[in-house]
Amino acid sequence: MEAFRKLRDQVARQQQAVLKQFGGGSFGSSENISLDEVELRQHHRIEKLYTSTRSCKHFQRDVVRGLEGYIVTGSKQVEIGNKMAEDSRKYGAENTCTSSNSLTKAAFSFSRARTQMTKEQEYLLRVYSTQVAEPLRALILGAPLEDARHLAQRYGRLHQEAEAQAIEVSKRRAKAKEVPGNFDNISKLEAAETKLEDLKSNMKVLGKEAASAMLSVEVQQQKQTLQRLIAMVEAERIYHQRIAQILEQLEGEMVLERQRIEASPRPVIENQMPPPPSYEEVNGISSSAAIDGSSDSMEFFLGEAMHSFRAESDVELNLSAGDYIVVRKVSGNGWAEGECRGKAGWFPLAHIERRERVLASKILKV
């Protein structure tokens, strides 16, 4: 239509030049030979409808292309999200921790939440595809738009032909005026005027048909495109609401677990307890710190291990729940030194319970 408009303007300029060349007057005025005002308004209306529907078509195409890219990217995100959910589930199912199961609980919660979020994203992508992209693509490629555009193009060609014929009529009238009474000039003028009237009549009928078709397409484009955009926005709003709910629930579960851990008593074996003294140093201290100067008279006691303890250095003693330990010394920082199963070393005093008090001399005789 842009090319048609340029050609029409060019023809109009040529028409004005011809009129100027052959003179004015009521007989040869442009009012008598050019297209009337109603036809011009019809032509401008069809041009505007053509431009409007073309712009909307381009907008629909841009939306479809954007959604296609979003769907491809979103599908990859869904794949990654499912992998994260599966990895978290495997960790929660296959791993245990001796001190706490908080991380396994968090892993299960994260896996469940991630699975829910990927399902929500899959649904959103389906909405983008089935309720937005596909209907818009159907409008772009649909027959109503193409048929209306063909009618408008036919009308544009007919309009150009009518304007060219109006110039021909202007020329014939000028020749008939120069040589009054010339039968040949008069005959050609009548034929040109008849053809112009036929063109204008056909153009009027086709113009109404093209304008009606283009208007119908424009209304459908505006209505359907707006509905698709609303569907897209609504789907995305619901998606983000659901994601927010899932994340809020997941965060609440994790915060409660963290608060439970922080509120529970810390075992004595944590890092705040100072490390035990070296075994050699203790032997020197214990021999010199005896109450009556004799190691045989030093009071030992028997303890039972209530919790396991894994030694982290050479001066520490491995314990298993149920072991009996001969406790030989208790330090002021929460550690005790003793012997179990032929090995000696330090261990947390809180891991054992006292069972019996015996003299060292008796223990040595056992």
Side-chain angles (χ1 to χ4, degrees):
M1 290 298 291
E2 182 68 22
F4 296 157
R5 185 169 61 253
K6 291 181 179 179
L7 184 58
R8 185 202 66 195
D9 294 340
Q10 182 179 357
V11 171
R13 288 194 296 270
Q14 292 175 352
Q15 178 181 354
Q16 294 298 326
V18 170
L19 292 175
K20 184 177 181 180
Q21 178 180 357
F22 290 100
S26 61
F27 185 74
S29 64
S30 60
E31 293 180 357
N32 293 329
I33 63 172
S34 62
L35 304 180
D36 58 35
E37 188 66 25
V38 175
E39 292 165 341
L40 289 177
R41 286 200 301 268
Q42 181 80 298
H43 179 73
H44 290 318
R45 184 187 182 199
I46 294 175
E47 276 189 330
K48 291 180 179 179
L49 286 170
Y50 191 94
T51 301
S52 172
T53 54
R54 180 184 59 190
S55 298
C56 190
K57 175 183 176 181
H58 291 169
F59 174 62
Q60 292 170 340
R61 184 182 59 196
D62 292 340
V63 172
V64 170
R65 287 176 177 175
L67 288 177
E68 288 173 347
Y70 196 101
I71 291 170
V72 171
T73 303
S75 299
K76 185 63 177 179
Q77 292 176 342
V78 167
E79 180 181 347
I80 296 172
N82 285 331
K83 182 65 168 57
M84 293 177 63
E86 179 61 19
D87 292 342
S88 299
R89 187 198 65 77
K90 284 183 178 180
Y91 176 84
E94 300 174 1
N95 293 273
T96 57
C97 181
T98 58
S99 61
S100 172
N101 62 350
S102 298
L103 185 56
T104 56
K105 289 182 179 179
F108 276 124
S109 296
F110 181 80
S111 175
R112 184 186 65 252
R114 176 53 64 181
T115 300
Q116 292 174 346
M117 288 190 290
T118 54
K119 288 182 179 179
E120 293 295 333
Q121 190 171 16
E122 285 178 331
Y123 177 76
L124 176 65
L125 296 179
R126 284 197 299 271
V127 171
Y128 282 168
S129 177
T130 60
Q131 298 186 24
V132 184
E134 291 179 7
L136 290 181
R137 191 180 294 110
L139 288 175
I140 294 171
L141 303 176
L145 175 61
E146 291 302 314
D147 292 344
R149 287 164 63 88
H150 290 158
L151 285 175
Q153 291 168 356
R154 284 175 52 197
Y155 172 82
R157 291 192 294 269
L158 188 61
H159 185 270
Q160 291 180 34
E161 188 177 353
E163 286 190 329
Q165 187 62 29
I167 294 176
E168 181 65 21
V169 170
S170 177
K171 292 179 180 178
R172 294 297 176 187
R173 286 181 178 178
K175 288 185 178 181
K177 184 178 179 180
E178 291 176 357
V179 186
N182 187 306
F183 179 77
D184 184 57
N185 289 340
I186 294 174
S187 176
K188 290 181 179 180
L189 173 60
E190 290 176 350
E193 290 177 338
T194 301
K195 183 178 180 179
L196 177 61
E197 290 301 321
D198 290 341
L199 289 172
K200 291 171 66 175
S201 177
N202 294 336
M203 186 175 65
K204 184 177 181 180
V205 174
L206 185 59
K208 289 181 179 180
E209 185 178 355
S212 176
M214 294 298 293
L215 181 60
S216 176
V217 168
E218 183 188 53
V219 171
Q220 185 184 28
Q221 280 183 332
Q222 297 291 313
K223 180 179 179 180
Q224 292 296 324
T225 304
L226 179 59
Q227 288 179 349
R228 296 310 100 201
L229 291 179
I230 292 174
M232 180 174 65
V233 172
E234 179 68 11
E236 191 160 358
R237 182 186 64 81
I238 295 174
Y239 166 74
H240 287 296
Q241 286 180 343
R242 289 289 299 124
I243 295 299
Q245 292 173 357
I246 294 170
L247 291 176
E248 286 176 2
Q249 181 179 355
L250 175 61
E251 183 184 24
E253 293 174 358
M254 290 185 169
V255 168
L256 286 176
E257 187 63 24
R258 184 184 65 187
Q259 292 174 348
R260 187 188 68 79
I261 296 173
E262 293 175 348
S264 62
R266 296 178 180 270
V268 183
I269 60 174
E270 290 189 354
N271 292 333
Q272 71 268 17
M273 191 171 68
S278 66
Y279 188 67
E280 293 77 13
E281 179 184 356
V282 171
N283 287 336
I285 294 174
S286 59
S287 61
S288 62
I291 298 176
D292 56 0
S294 172
S295 61
D296 290 342
S297 65
M298 182 177 180
E299 184 176 355
F300 291 11
F301 70 88
L302 187 66
E304 181 182 356
M306 308 306 296
H307 306 285
S308 298
F309 172 71
R310 183 183 296 274
E312 297 182 358
S313 68
D314 295 337
V315 301
E316 296 176 1
L317 179 65
N318 284 317
L319 296 179
S320 298
D323 285 347
Y324 282 90
I325 309 98
V326 177
V327 182
R328 300 187 297 198
K329 181 175 178 62
V330 176
S331 69
N333 60 1
W335 288 86
E337 189 271 339
E339 183 176 349
C340 178
R341 295 193 302 273
K343 295 183 179 180
W346 288 88
F347 52 87
L349 181 62
H351 277 58
I352 69 169
E353 288 186 4
R354 192 180 184 117
R355 291 292 180 243
E356 185 180 358
R357 295 173 61 88
V358 296
L359 295 175
S361 58
K362 292 183 179 182
I363 295 176
L364 293 174
K365 293 178 182 180
V366 175

